[in-house]
Amino acid sequence: MASASRDKTIKIWEVRNCRVVITLVGHDNWVTDLVFHPNGKYLLSSSDDKSVRIWDLSNGRCMRKMGNAHDHFVSTIDMRGKVVVTGSVDKSLKVWTCR
């Protein structure tokens, strides 16, 4: 399980023991939404810092940052197959294709 926070972090939890197994750090503002990649190896996050990030869960590192993904806070993210959709406070949606 993953949780997003106003403290700019993402926590990956072991549900069985209710403990944090890794904390992902890198966003410069509130983390607003999360979605797991279909293969379970990556986590995508959106943030009020206007960025979208892709995290490698095997090592806890940000492997890609799309800064200024929107002109305002990125409030939501979703993924279906190889398509990622982000939504922003700027009232826009953007569609991204994963390679």
Side-chain angles (χ1 to χ4, degrees):
M1 180 172 73
S3 62
S5 179
R6 289 182 175 188
D7 71 1
K8 308 174 193 172
T9 66
I10 299 162
K11 297 198 185 293
I12 307 299
W13 297 81
E14 183 180 279
V15 176
R16 187 177 354 197
N17 296 324
C18 298
R19 69 179 184 95
V20 175
V21 292
I22 193 165
T23 300
L24 307 175
V25 178
H27 279 291
D28 298 323
N29 208 332
W30 297 356
V31 182
T32 55
D33 202 5
L34 304 168
V35 64
F36 283 98
H37 186 278
N39 69 15
K41 296 179 182 179
Y42 307 103
L43 183 72
L44 288 76
S45 61
S46 62
S47 171
D48 279 0
D49 65 10
K50 304 179 190 175
S51 76
V52 171
R53 294 176 189 243
I54 301 171
W55 302 88
D56 183 331
L57 295 176
S58 68
N59 60 23
R61 294 187 182 164
C62 177
M63 58 181 283
R64 174 119 190 210
K65 174 187 173 184
M66 293 172 278
N68 293 318
H70 283 268
D71 293 333
H72 211 294
F73 302 151
V74 186
S75 54
T76 190
I77 188 168
D78 199 8
M79 182 173 199
R80 295 288 186 261
K82 292 185 177 188
V83 176
V84 176
V85 177
T86 56
S88 172
V89 174
D90 64 15
K91 299 181 182 177
S92 71
L93 293 174
K94 290 192 178 181
V95 179
W96 312 79
T97 303
C98 295
R99 294 184 238 166

